[in-house]
Amino acid sequence: RGDANARCGRGRYIGWSPTPRVVLALFRADMSYDLKLEATPRHLAMTLCGQMNYEACREAMEVLVTEAAAREFPPILVDLLEMEADLSATEVFELVDGAKDSGFGSRSRVAIVGQLRPPFNRLGFAVEIAEHRGLQVQGFRCPDEARAWLGG
C-alpha cells in the first residue's frame, strides 16, 4: 500500500492516489480484468470488470481483505455488475469460506452488487453461504440499494 513498486499477487501494481480516493488497478496476462478500489469516508468500494477465473477472484478477495483490515473493516461495497466469471459451486464456496477466515464480513457489513444469472445464481449462492457462516453480507442488483443498506 503506498509503495510504488509493491506487487499484488501476479497482478501489476499501478499506484495509489494520495487523496482519500484510492485507486488500484490489476491486470493479468491470462485474464482480461480490471480491479478498482476506492476508499470513501463512508465505505470501501471494490469494482471488478472483465473476465475473471477462480485464481483472479481469489487474488481480488485478498486485496480487498488486506485493504479492509488496514482501515479497520469499514462497510464494504463490491460491484460485480461488469464482471464475468464462470465459477463452479465449489469455487464460490471456497471464496466465501476463505473470506470468513480472514475476518471479512464478520467485522463489517458487505454489500455485493451483481446480476442474477441462470442456470447457477453465483451471487445468491455466495450470499447464502455467507449468511450461514454468520457474515453480514447482502446481495443487490442496484448500487444505490446497496449503499443505502450499508448506511443503515
Side-chain angles (χ1 to χ4, degrees):
R1 218 175 67 133
D3 178 2
N5 297 316
R7 306 249 326 144
C8 223
R10 286 180 240 164
R12 184 166 47 93
Y13 181 89
I14 301 303
W16 291 97
S17 165
T19 67
R21 287 191 165 323
V22 175
V23 177
L24 166 71
L26 295 176
F27 304 94
R28 282 180 47 144
D30 61 334
M31 299 299 288
S32 175
Y33 74 90
D34 294 328
L35 179 154
K36 177 184 167 190
L37 275 175
E38 182 178 9
T40 72
R42 294 190 176 138
H43 62 271
L44 180 63
M46 180 173 80
T47 304
L48 294 168
C49 302
Q51 184 67 37
M52 298 181 75
N53 61 13
Y54 170 74
E55 183 65 25
C57 290
R58 194 178 58 73
E59 289 174 1
M61 181 67 79
E62 289 174 9
V63 168
L64 181 60
V65 168
T66 299
E67 287 307 310
R71 291 172 173 74
E72 299 181 10
F73 289 95
I76 298 169
L77 174 66
V78 180
D79 184 342
L80 307 177
L81 285 172
E82 295 184 35
M83 183 187 91
E84 295 288 331
D86 191 22
L87 302 177
S88 70
T90 302
E91 290 170 331
V92 171
F93 181 86
E94 288 175 0
L95 284 171
V96 174
D97 219 37
K100 179 193 180 297
D101 294 341
S102 67
F104 183 81
S106 60
R107 296 181 55 194
S108 65
R109 295 176 77 164
V110 180
I112 303 172
V113 181
Q115 298 177 15
L116 306 177
R117 294 191 180 127
F120 174 48
N121 175 0
R122 288 164 186 82
L123 175 59
F125 182 60
V127 169
E128 185 176 331
I129 294 168
E131 288 173 345
H132 286 286
R133 299 273 181 286
L135 305 181
Q136 301 176 71
V137 176
Q138 191 66 248
F140 298 90
R141 293 183 184 180
C142 170
D144 290 335
E145 292 173 0
R147 283 189 212 68
W149 181 78
L150 285 175

